[in-house]
Amino acid sequence: MDVRVRFAPSPTGFVHIGSLRTALYNYLSAKQKNGKYILRVEDTDRNRKVEGAIEGMLNAMEWGLVPHDEGVKLVEGQLLDVGDLGPYTQSERLPIYKEYINTLLNNGSAYHCFCSKERIDELREEQKNKGLTPKYDKICLQLSKEEIDTRVKVGEPHVIRLNLPANTDIKFKDIVRGEVVVNTEDLDDQVLMKSDGFPTYHFAVVVDDHLMKISHIIRGEEWLISTPKHIFLYEAFGWEKPEYVHLPNILNADKKKLSKRQGDVAVEDFMKKGYLPEALINYIALVGWSPEDNQEIFTMEELIEKFSLERISKSGGVFDVNKLNWVNAHYIKESTLEKITDMAIPYLVGKGYITKEQATENYEWIKDMVSVFKDRLSFVAEIVDEVNIFLNNDIIIEDNEAIALLNCEHVPKLLRVLGEKIENAEEIDLQFGKKIFKEIQKETGIKGPKLFKPARVVFTGKTHGPDMPLVMKVLGKDNLLARIENAKKYIN
Ligand code: GLU
C-alpha cells in the first residue's frame, strides 16, 4: 500500500504546537515509508475565516521544517496547488461535494432536512430535560420526494443530514487505541451539507481523504468521537477505509489541555522568541511518542528512522517548557556563532541597543558579545536581558556582596595595577585577558577570588557571570578604564 498521509488544518490565525506535532507525525510517517505527505486546507467554516491565516500557517509549517509534498503551497507570496489530486482547499471543491452528496441522497444514506434552528433548539432542550442524548428526530425523513423537490426548488433553506440506522454498532480500529465501538443510538444524524451550500467538516473530510487516496489518518484525539460517523460514510459510499491514529492531547503541567491562557502555545510564539525549529520539533516529537531507548536529542533523520505510530501513547503528554528550553539550549550551543549572532541582531535592533547599520559595521564585535552568552541562552530573545552589561559604563552596583568586595583593603591597589596594564595594552584580546591576571598575581601577590571577584564586579557590576577575558575583549580599553573609574565611587 502506498502511504499517503495528510495534515488538514482549519486556518484560525495561529498554529497551536499540537498542530505542528500532528504535522510532524504525519511527515515522519510518510518519510519513513517513502510515502507522500499532503497539506489540505479545511476552510468550510466560513464564520471562522481569518484573513492571512493560510499564509501564516504555511509559514509556520515551513519554519517548522515539515515540508509537504502535495497540497497548498506558498510560492513567492502566492497560494498555489502542487499535486494532481487538487484543489487542496475545501472551499474550492464545492462541485465535488455536490456530486458526492447526491450519491448519498440517492442511496438513502442522507436526507434533506428543512427544520428551523428554533425547532432543533427546542427539540434538544426537551431531550436534555428528559435526560436523553440530544439528537435530531428524523422528522424530515417522512417527507415525500415531491414535497422535497418543490421545497428545494422554491429555495427553502435546508441542510442535508446523514441517515444513521437505529441501534447499530459502528466499529473501527485505531492503531494506538485498538478497537473502538460506538452504537448509533449515541450518535446524531450529522449535518453533511449546510444551508449555505458548504459541506460540514465531517462530510468534506471523508470525500477528500478518499479522493486524495489517504492511507492513514493521523490527527488529534478530539476527532475520535467523530470517527464513527466517518466510518459510516465510507461504508455508505462503499469505499475502502483508511487506517486511523488519534494522537493524545498535549497537556499543561496541571494535566489540563494546553491552552493559550497558560502561556505560549502557538508555533508563532516560539518563532518570535528565537527558538530553533530543530529544537521545537525534537521536543514535541517526544510529547506523546517515546523511542525504545532513552534518547532525547534527535536529528530529523533519526526521528524519521525511529518514529513509529505503535509507540504513540494513549494518554496525554505534558508540555514542559523547561524541558523544551533545555533542548533548545542544547541546539543553540551546537549552532555556529554566526547563526546565533544573525538571529540575535534583530532583537538587539528591536530593543534599540544597536542600529541595523551598526550591526553590519560592528558585526565582529557583536559576534564577540553574543559569544559571551551563547552557551547560556534558553532562547535567543533572552540575549536582550543579558547584553546590557556591555552597554553602559556607569554601572550601578547594588548587590551588598559586590560592594563589600570592592571595599576590601587590597582593592585600591588592584584597581591601580589593572588600570595601568589596560592603559598600556596594545590590544585587549583574549590572550590579554588571560595574561593580565597571571601578571598581577605575580607582581602583587593578590590571587584567586581576591583577584577575580572584585575585577568582575568592576567590569560587570555582578559577582557572577560570563568568562572574564571574553568580557574584557568585548568591552575594550576605553570602557574598561571608564568602569575602573566608576567602581571607585563605591569605595569608602
Ligand atoms: N480540520 C480539522 C482540524 O483543524 C482536521 C481534522 C482531521 O485531521 O481530520 O483539526
Side-chain angles (χ1 to χ4, degrees), residues 164-171 181-185 187 232:
L164 285 174
N167 194 17
T168 307
D169 278 346
I170 300 180
K171 292 186 192 148
V181 186
V182 177
N183 191 281
T184 50
E185 290 305 302
L187 299 173
F232 183 81

Side-chain angles (χ1 to χ4, degrees), residues 66-298:
V66 283
H68 45 289
D69 304 298
E70 271 176 45
V72 184
K73 294 217 177 203
L74 196 55
V75 182
E76 289 165 11
Q78 293 285 101
L79 294 174
L80 290 181
D81 271 344
V82 174
D84 299 332
L85 299 174
Y88 293 92
T89 301
Q90 288 187 328
S91 58
E92 292 167 22
R93 298 172 62 80
L94 300 187
I96 301 176
Y97 306 125
K98 209 159 180 193
E99 179 191 335
Y100 283 93
I101 202 69
N102 283 331
T103 309
L104 296 182
L105 286 168
N106 291 337
N107 74 14
S109 306
Y111 60 96
H112 291 85
C113 169
F114 296 90
C115 291
S116 65
K117 187 180 172 298
E118 289 71 33
R119 174 167 190 272
I120 304 278
D121 289 347
E122 261 170 45
L123 180 68
R124 281 173 194 273
E125 199 53 33
E126 238 173 72
Q127 289 166 328
K128 259 199 239 152
N129 291 343
K130 286 188 194 149
L132 302 169
T133 314
K135 53 198 261 191
Y136 183 60
D137 58 2
K138 290 184 184 276
I139 202 122
C140 283
L141 200 51
Q142 292 161 17
L143 299 173
S144 69
K145 175 141 183 10
E146 291 68 38
E147 183 171 357
I148 295 169
D149 287 348
T150 320
R151 289 172 80 170
V152 170
K153 214 179 254 160
V154 298
E156 195 177 322
H158 63 275
V159 299
I160 297 172
R161 290 183 181 273
L162 180 63
N163 186 14
L164 285 174
N167 194 17
T168 307
D169 278 346
I170 300 180
K171 292 186 192 148
F172 67 96
K173 194 179 140 273
D174 180 288
I175 292 182
V176 173
R177 287 152 208 269
E179 191 178 59
V180 180
V181 186
V182 177
N183 191 281
T184 50
E185 290 305 302
D186 296 323
L187 299 173
D188 196 2
D189 276 0
Q190 175 66 49
V191 172
L192 302 177
M193 291 295 269
K194 296 179 275 189
S195 53
D196 63 1
F198 274 75
T200 56
Y201 155 73
H202 303 282
F203 182 54
V205 78
V206 170
V207 171
D208 292 347
D209 284 337
H210 171 73
L211 294 179
M212 294 177 190
K213 301 186 165 55
I214 300 302
S215 62
H216 294 71
I217 294 186
I218 304 167
R219 63 182 169 199
E221 73 175 320
E222 66 271 31
W223 301 107
L224 185 68
I225 50 163
S226 305
T227 307
K229 295 177 200 171
H230 303 173
I231 296 288
F232 183 81
L233 279 169
Y234 279 97
E235 284 168 3
F237 279 117
W239 290 340
E240 197 185 324
K241 281 165 249 165
E243 303 269 357
Y244 284 93
V245 183
H246 287 92
L247 307 176
N249 280 329
I250 298 187
L251 309 173
N252 284 311
D254 65 3
K255 300 278 163 85
K256 299 228 173 74
K257 201 172 163 186
L258 189 63
S259 86
K260 240 179 165 176
R261 263 165 282 133
Q262 272 106 350
D264 295 330
V265 298
V267 173
E268 292 87 340
D269 295 332
F270 296 100
M271 283 165 80
K272 275 192 214 129
K273 286 190 167 175
Y275 280 80
L276 295 172
E278 297 85 349
L280 188 60
I281 284 290
N282 185 153
Y283 175 67
I284 58 168
L286 297 166
V287 182
W289 167 79
S290 53
E292 280 173 40
D293 51 22
N294 291 329
Q295 187 173 344
E296 288 184 304
I297 299 294
F298 290 87

